[in-house]
Amino acid sequence: MKISKAKAIDLIKTNGLKQTVGVTHTKKDGSLRIGSYKYGVKKNLTGKGLKYNPEDYNLIPVYDMNKDYRMIWTDGIQEVTVDGTTYEVVK
């Protein structure tokens, strides 16, 4: 199923709050990353917050289930998998 970038961001933010979301995306350096992420996780936070607003740089802060916190570059999102359904992002 094909979706827009805005719909993909919405899927990550809404479904990532309650379940793991699979995302295939390119990083800013051009390399491909595939991961399982959750959105809105408060684990291991220091309370200081970020020194910048991720939305100003087209980034989504997520918790990588295999590593730690990461940022997903919204312009590099290629596929989003939710509940076993894979959505291809159309540019």
Side-chain angles (χ1 to χ4, degrees):
M1 181 180 223
K2 297 181 188 254
I3 58 172
S4 67
K5 180 175 84 168
K7 180 65 177 168
I9 294 168
D10 185 52
L11 280 173
I12 293 169
K13 289 184 175 181
T14 56
N15 291 309
L17 287 172
K18 49 192 168 198
Q19 64 191 18
T20 304
V21 176
V23 181
T24 302
H25 59 99
T26 54
K27 301 188 312 185
K28 285 188 175 184
D29 67 2
S31 60
L32 185 67
R33 173 169 282 154
I34 301 169
S36 301
Y37 305 108
K38 285 194 73 129
Y39 180 76
V41 175
K42 306 288 186 210
K43 180 181 175 183
N44 297 331
L45 295 180
T46 61
K48 294 180 183 176
L50 294 173
K51 297 185 187 309
Y52 62 94
N53 184 2
E55 291 180 0
D56 293 343
Y57 300 96
N58 296 329
L59 300 172
I60 303 172
V62 293
Y63 185 78
D64 187 343
M65 300 306 289
N66 298 318
K67 190 85 171 156
D68 203 3
Y69 289 94
R70 294 196 183 274
M71 297 285 180
I72 295 176
W73 182 42
T74 58
D75 294 337
I77 299 173
Q78 295 177 355
E79 290 182 348
V80 178
T81 304
V82 178
D83 289 332
T85 305
T86 302
Y87 301 94
E88 182 183 345
V89 178
V90 178
K91 306 273 181 192

